[in-house]
PDB file of all heavy atoms in Angstrom:
ATOM      1  N   LEU A 157     103.940  74.246 124.182  1.00  0.00           N
ATOM      2  CA  LEU A 157     104.386  75.174 123.145  1.00  0.00           C
ATOM      3  C   LEU A 157     105.860  74.927 122.815  1.00  0.00           C
ATOM      4  O   LEU A 157     106.712  74.969 123.707  1.00  0.00           O
ATOM      5  CB  LEU A 157     104.207  76.616 123.616  1.00  0.00           C
ATOM      6  CG  LEU A 157     104.678  77.720 122.650  1.00  0.00           C
ATOM      7  CD1 LEU A 157     103.822  77.739 121.395  1.00  0.00           C
ATOM      8  CD2 LEU A 157     104.668  79.081 123.335  1.00  0.00           C
ATOM      9  N   PRO A 158     106.210  74.661 121.552  1.00  0.00           N
ATOM     10  CA  PRO A 158     107.621  74.443 121.182  1.00  0.00           C
ATOM     11  C   PRO A 158     108.491  75.638 121.548  1.00  0.00           C
ATOM     12  O   PRO A 158     108.052  76.793 121.466  1.00  0.00           O
ATOM     13  CB  PRO A 158     107.555  74.247 119.656  1.00  0.00           C
ATOM     14  CG  PRO A 158     106.165  73.756 119.399  1.00  0.00           C
ATOM     15  CD  PRO A 158     105.303  74.466 120.409  1.00  0.00           C
ATOM     16  N   LYS A 159     109.716  75.389 121.938  1.00  0.00           N
ATOM     17  CA  LYS A 159     110.603  76.444 122.405  1.00  0.00           C
ATOM     18  C   LYS A 159     110.929  77.463 121.319  1.00  0.00           C
ATOM     19  O   LYS A 159     111.255  78.614 121.616  1.00  0.00           O
ATOM     20  CB  LYS A 159     111.892  75.832 122.953  1.00  0.00           C
ATOM     21  CG  LYS A 159     111.682  75.024 124.233  1.00  0.00           C
ATOM     22  CD  LYS A 159     112.993  74.496 124.765  1.00  0.00           C
ATOM     23  CE  LYS A 159     112.780  73.718 126.060  1.00  0.00           C
ATOM     24  NZ  LYS A 159     114.059  73.182 126.600  1.00  0.00           N
ATOM     25  N   ASN A 160     110.874  77.036 120.060  1.00  0.00           N
ATOM     26  CA  ASN A 160     111.210  77.952 118.958  1.00  0.00           C
ATOM     27  C   ASN A 160     109.976  78.682 118.413  1.00  0.00           C
ATOM     28  O   ASN A 160     110.042  79.321 117.371  1.00  0.00           O
ATOM     29  CB  ASN A 160     111.878  77.191 117.824  1.00  0.00           C
ATOM     30  CG  ASN A 160     110.947  76.178 117.174  1.00  0.00           C
ATOM     31  OD1 ASN A 160     110.074  75.624 117.833  1.00  0.00           O
ATOM     32  ND2 ASN A 160     111.145  75.925 115.884  1.00  0.00           N
ATOM     33  N   LYS A 161     108.850  78.559 119.134  1.00  0.00           N
ATOM     34  CA  LYS A 161     107.612  79.152 118.650  1.00  0.00           C
ATOM     35  C   LYS A 161     107.064  80.174 119.649  1.00  0.00           C
ATOM     36  O   LYS A 161     107.308  80.088 120.856  1.00  0.00           O
ATOM     37  CB  LYS A 161     106.561  78.068 118.395  1.00  0.00           C
ATOM     38  CG  LYS A 161     106.784  77.288 117.112  1.00  0.00           C
ATOM     39  CD  LYS A 161     106.513  78.188 115.900  1.00  0.00           C
ATOM     40  CE  LYS A 161     106.631  77.428 114.613  1.00  0.00           C
ATOM     41  NZ  LYS A 161     106.318  78.301 113.440  1.00  0.00           N
ATOM     42  N   LYS A 162     106.269  81.116 119.112  1.00  0.00           N
ATOM     43  CA  LYS A 162     105.581  82.107 119.919  1.00  0.00           C
ATOM     44  C   LYS A 162     104.085  81.951 119.703  1.00  0.00           C
ATOM     45  O   LYS A 162     103.639  81.761 118.568  1.00  0.00           O
ATOM     46  CB  LYS A 162     106.021  83.515 119.521  1.00  0.00           C
ATOM     47  CG  LYS A 162     105.321  84.632 120.289  1.00  0.00           C
ATOM     48  CD  LYS A 162     105.787  86.004 119.811  1.00  0.00           C
ATOM     49  CE  LYS A 162     105.081  87.114 120.579  1.00  0.00           C
ATOM     50  NZ  LYS A 162     105.518  88.459 120.114  1.00  0.00           N
ATOM     51  N   ALA A 163     103.319  82.003 120.774  1.00  0.00           N
ATOM     52  CA  ALA A 163     101.862  81.921 120.657  1.00  0.00           C
ATOM     53  C   ALA A 163     101.278  83.328 120.670  1.00  0.00           C
ATOM     54  O   ALA A 163     101.690  84.180 121.455  1.00  0.00           O
ATOM     55  CB  ALA A 163     101.273  81.092 121.791  1.00  0.00           C
ATOM     56  N   THR A 164     100.328  83.565 119.794  1.00  0.00           N
ATOM     57  CA  THR A 164      99.705  84.879 119.683  1.00  0.00           C
ATOM     58  C   THR A 164      98.314  84.865 120.297  1.00  0.00           C
ATOM     59  O   THR A 164      97.858  83.857 120.842  1.00  0.00           O
ATOM     60  CB  THR A 164      99.643  85.324 118.205  1.00  0.00           C
ATOM     61  OG1 THR A 164      99.201  86.691 118.131  1.00  0.00           O
ATOM     62  CG2 THR A 164      98.700  84.434 117.402  1.00  0.00           C
ATOM     63  N   TYR A 165      97.628  85.975 120.193  1.00  0.00           N
ATOM     64  CA  TYR A 165      96.283  86.124 120.741  1.00  0.00           C
ATOM     65  C   TYR A 165      95.240  85.762 119.673  1.00  0.00           C
ATOM     66  O   TYR A 165      95.545  85.651 118.484  1.00  0.00           O
ATOM     67  CB  TYR A 165      96.065  87.560 121.217  1.00  0.00           C
ATOM     68  CG  TYR A 165      96.179  88.595 120.112  1.00  0.00           C
ATOM     69  CD1 TYR A 165      95.060  89.020 119.398  1.00  0.00           C
ATOM     70  CD2 TYR A 165      97.426  89.148 119.782  1.00  0.00           C
ATOM     71  CE1 TYR A 165      95.165  89.960 118.379  1.00  0.00           C
ATOM     72  CE2 TYR A 165      97.542  90.087 118.765  1.00  0.00           C
ATOM     73  CZ  TYR A 165      96.409  90.484 118.071  1.00  0.00           C
ATOM     74  OH  TYR A 165      96.525  91.402 117.054  1.00  0.00           O
ATOM     75  N   VAL A 186      93.252  84.831 113.934  1.00  0.00           N
ATOM     76  CA  VAL A 186      94.581  84.785 114.557  1.00  0.00           C
ATOM     77  C   VAL A 186      95.203  86.176 114.566  1.00  0.00           C
ATOM     78  O   VAL A 186      95.138  86.898 113.571  1.00  0.00           O
ATOM     79  CB  VAL A 186      95.499  83.814 113.785  1.00  0.00           C
ATOM     80  CG1 VAL A 186      96.866  83.707 114.461  1.00  0.00           C
ATOM     81  CG2 VAL A 186      94.847  82.445 113.663  1.00  0.00           C
ATOM     82  N   GLY A 187      95.819  86.541 115.677  1.00  0.00           N
ATOM     83  CA  GLY A 187      96.559  87.799 115.753  1.00  0.00           C
ATOM     84  C   GLY A 187      97.882  87.661 115.021  1.00  0.00           C
ATOM     85  O   GLY A 187      98.950  87.499 115.638  1.00  0.00           O
ATOM     86  N   ASP A 189      99.814  89.666 113.560  1.00  0.00           N
ATOM     87  CA  ASP A 189     100.849  90.688 113.726  1.00  0.00           C
ATOM     88  C   ASP A 189     101.878  90.303 114.780  1.00  0.00           C
ATOM     89  O   ASP A 189     102.973  90.880 114.830  1.00  0.00           O
ATOM     90  CB  ASP A 189     100.211  92.029 114.087  1.00  0.00           C
ATOM     91  CG  ASP A 189      99.420  91.964 115.383  1.00  0.00           C
ATOM     92  OD1 ASP A 189      98.641  91.003 115.553  1.00  0.00           O
ATOM     93  OD2 ASP A 189      99.590  92.862 116.227  1.00  0.00           O
ATOM     94  N   GLN A 190     101.568  89.313 115.627  1.00  0.00           N
ATOM     95  CA  GLN A 190     102.496  88.885 116.665  1.00  0.00           C
ATOM     96  C   GLN A 190     103.346  87.687 116.242  1.00  0.00           C
ATOM     97  O   GLN A 190     104.190  87.224 117.007  1.00  0.00           O
ATOM     98  CB  GLN A 190     101.720  88.515 117.933  1.00  0.00           C
ATOM     99  CG  GLN A 190     100.937  89.668 118.539  1.00  0.00           C
ATOM    100  CD  GLN A 190     101.850  90.760 119.058  1.00  0.00           C
ATOM    101  OE1 GLN A 190     102.817  90.496 119.762  1.00  0.00           O
ATOM    102  NE2 GLN A 190     101.547  92.003 118.702  1.00  0.00           N
ATOM    103  N   LEU A 191     103.108  87.185 115.039  1.00  0.00           N
ATOM    104  CA  LEU A 191     103.838  86.011 114.552  1.00  0.00           C
ATOM    105  C   LEU A 191     104.837  86.408 113.480  1.00  0.00           C
ATOM    106  O   LEU A 191     104.613  87.343 112.709  1.00  0.00           O
ATOM    107  CB  LEU A 191     102.862  84.972 113.982  1.00  0.00           C
ATOM    108  CG  LEU A 191     101.832  84.410 114.970  1.00  0.00           C
ATOM    109  CD1 LEU A 191     100.858  83.504 114.240  1.00  0.00           C
ATOM    110  CD2 LEU A 191     102.520  83.661 116.101  1.00  0.00           C
ATOM    111  N   ILE A 192     105.942  85.685 113.436  1.00  0.00           N
ATOM    112  CA  ILE A 192     106.989  85.944 112.443  1.00  0.00           C
ATOM    113  C   ILE A 192     106.862  84.930 111.314  1.00  0.00           C
ATOM    114  O   ILE A 192     106.864  83.718 111.542  1.00  0.00           O
ATOM    115  CB  ILE A 192     108.384  85.848 113.078  1.00  0.00           C
ATOM    116  CG1 ILE A 192     108.536  86.907 114.173  1.00  0.00           C
ATOM    117  CG2 ILE A 192     109.465  86.022 112.017  1.00  0.00           C
ATOM    118  CD1 ILE A 192     109.851  86.792 114.943  1.00  0.00           C
ATOM    119  N   PHE A 239     103.642  74.644 111.741  1.00  0.00           N
ATOM    120  CA  PHE A 239     102.472  74.977 112.538  1.00  0.00           C
ATOM    121  C   PHE A 239     102.651  76.312 113.267  1.00  0.00           C
ATOM    122  O   PHE A 239     103.768  76.711 113.611  1.00  0.00           O
ATOM    123  CB  PHE A 239     102.186  73.887 113.576  1.00  0.00           C
ATOM    124  CG  PHE A 239     101.920  72.532 112.977  1.00  0.00           C
ATOM    125  CD1 PHE A 239     102.127  71.385 113.721  1.00  0.00           C
ATOM    126  CD2 PHE A 239     101.456  72.402 111.674  1.00  0.00           C
ATOM    127  CE1 PHE A 239     101.893  70.131 113.179  1.00  0.00           C
ATOM    128  CE2 PHE A 239     101.203  71.161 111.120  1.00  0.00           C
ATOM    129  CZ  PHE A 239     101.426  70.021 111.871  1.00  0.00           C
ATOM    130  N   GLU A 240     101.512  77.000 113.485  1.00  0.00           N
ATOM    131  CA  GLU A 240     101.481  78.233 114.260  1.00  0.00           C
ATOM    132  C   GLU A 240     100.667  77.996 115.528  1.00  0.00           C
ATOM    133  O   GLU A 240      99.944  77.000 115.643  1.00  0.00           O
ATOM    134  CB  GLU A 240     100.872  79.379 113.444  1.00  0.00           C
ATOM    135  CG  GLU A 240     101.579  79.667 112.129  1.00  0.00           C
ATOM    136  CD  GLU A 240     102.915  80.379 112.311  1.00  0.00           C
ATOM    137  OE1 GLU A 240     103.328  80.591 113.474  1.00  0.00           O
ATOM    138  OE2 GLU A 240     103.537  80.732 111.296  1.00  0.00           O
ATOM    139  N   TYR A 241     100.757  78.959 116.483  1.00  0.00           N
ATOM    140  CA  TYR A 241     100.119  78.758 117.793  1.00  0.00           C
ATOM    141  C   TYR A 241      99.452  80.031 118.277  1.00  0.00           C
ATOM    142  O   TYR A 241      99.933  81.141 118.042  1.00  0.00           O
ATOM    143  CB  TYR A 241     101.163  78.302 118.815  1.00  0.00           C
ATOM    144  CG  TYR A 241     101.786  76.970 118.464  1.00  0.00           C
ATOM    145  CD1 TYR A 241     102.882  76.909 117.599  1.00  0.00           C
ATOM    146  CD2 TYR A 241     101.264  75.784 118.980  1.00  0.00           C
ATOM    147  CE1 TYR A 241     103.437  75.679 117.253  1.00  0.00           C
ATOM    148  CE2 TYR A 241     101.820  74.561 118.641  1.00  0.00           C
ATOM    149  CZ  TYR A 241     102.902  74.508 117.773  1.00  0.00           C
ATOM    150  OH  TYR A 241     103.434  73.305 117.437  1.00  0.00           O
ATOM    151  N   MET A 242      98.320  79.846 118.983  1.00  0.00           N
ATOM    152  CA  MET A 242      97.648  80.975 119.634  1.00  0.00           C
ATOM    153  C   MET A 242      96.952  80.479 120.904  1.00  0.00           C
ATOM    154  O   MET A 242      96.692  79.286 121.067  1.00  0.00           O
ATOM    155  CB  MET A 242      96.640  81.632 118.695  1.00  0.00           C
ATOM    156  CG  MET A 242      95.386  80.842 118.429  1.00  0.00           C
ATOM    157  SD  MET A 242      94.187  81.777 117.427  1.00  0.00           S
ATOM    158  CE  MET A 242      92.878  80.546 117.275  1.00  0.00           C
ATOM    159  N   TYR A 243      96.657  81.427 121.799  1.00  0.00           N
ATOM    160  CA  TYR A 243      95.943  81.120 123.036  1.00  0.00           C
ATOM    161  C   TYR A 243      94.462  81.488 122.908  1.00  0.00           C
ATOM    162  O   TYR A 243      94.102  82.463 122.246  1.00  0.00           O
ATOM    163  CB  TYR A 243      96.532  81.907 124.209  1.00  0.00           C
ATOM    164  CG  TYR A 243      97.946  81.555 124.581  1.00  0.00           C
ATOM    165  CD1 TYR A 243      98.965  82.509 124.506  1.00  0.00           C
ATOM    166  CD2 TYR A 243      98.274  80.269 125.026  1.00  0.00           C
ATOM    167  CE1 TYR A 243     100.267  82.196 124.864  1.00  0.00           C
ATOM    168  CE2 TYR A 243      99.576  79.954 125.383  1.00  0.00           C
ATOM    169  CZ  TYR A 243     100.567  80.914 125.300  1.00  0.00           C
ATOM    170  OH  TYR A 243     101.852  80.602 125.650  1.00  0.00           O
ATOM    171  N   LEU A 270      96.125  76.249 124.618  1.00  0.00           N
ATOM    172  CA  LEU A 270      96.965  76.476 123.447  1.00  0.00           C
ATOM    173  C   LEU A 270      96.334  75.834 122.219  1.00  0.00           C
ATOM    174  O   LEU A 270      95.910  74.676 122.259  1.00  0.00           O
ATOM    175  CB  LEU A 270      98.358  75.886 123.679  1.00  0.00           C
ATOM    176  CG  LEU A 270      99.372  76.099 122.549  1.00  0.00           C
ATOM    177  CD1 LEU A 270      99.741  77.582 122.435  1.00  0.00           C
ATOM    178  CD2 LEU A 270     100.633  75.255 122.799  1.00  0.00           C
ATOM    179  N   CYS A 271      96.279  76.586 121.145  1.00  0.00           N
ATOM    180  CA  CYS A 271      95.771  76.074 119.873  1.00  0.00           C
ATOM    181  C   CYS A 271      96.940  75.858 118.917  1.00  0.00           C
ATOM    182  O   CYS A 271      97.662  76.811 118.608  1.00  0.00           O
ATOM    183  CB  CYS A 271      94.795  77.051 119.236  1.00  0.00           C
ATOM    184  SG  CYS A 271      93.352  77.403 120.251  1.00  0.00           S
ATOM    185  N   ILE A 273      97.810  75.391 115.306  1.00  0.00           N
ATOM    186  CA  ILE A 273      97.147  75.649 114.030  1.00  0.00           C
ATOM    187  C   ILE A 273      97.858  74.874 112.931  1.00  0.00           C
ATOM    188  O   ILE A 273      99.023  75.133 112.637  1.00  0.00           O
ATOM    189  CB  ILE A 273      97.150  77.153 113.715  1.00  0.00           C
ATOM    190  CG1 ILE A 273      96.518  77.937 114.870  1.00  0.00           C
ATOM    191  CG2 ILE A 273      96.413  77.442 112.413  1.00  0.00           C
ATOM    192  CD1 ILE A 273      96.715  79.430 114.774  1.00  0.00           C
TER     193      ILE A 273
END
Side-chain angles (χ1 to χ4, degrees):
L157 178 66
K159 293 183 179 180
N160 65 329
K161 283 290 184 178
K162 178 181 180 180
T164 188
Y165 61 92
V186 183
D189 60 314
Q190 298 294 312
L191 299 175
I192 298 175
F239 300 156
E240 303 286 4
Y241 297 86
M242 72 175 179
Y243 295 118
L270 182 68
C271 300
I273 305 169

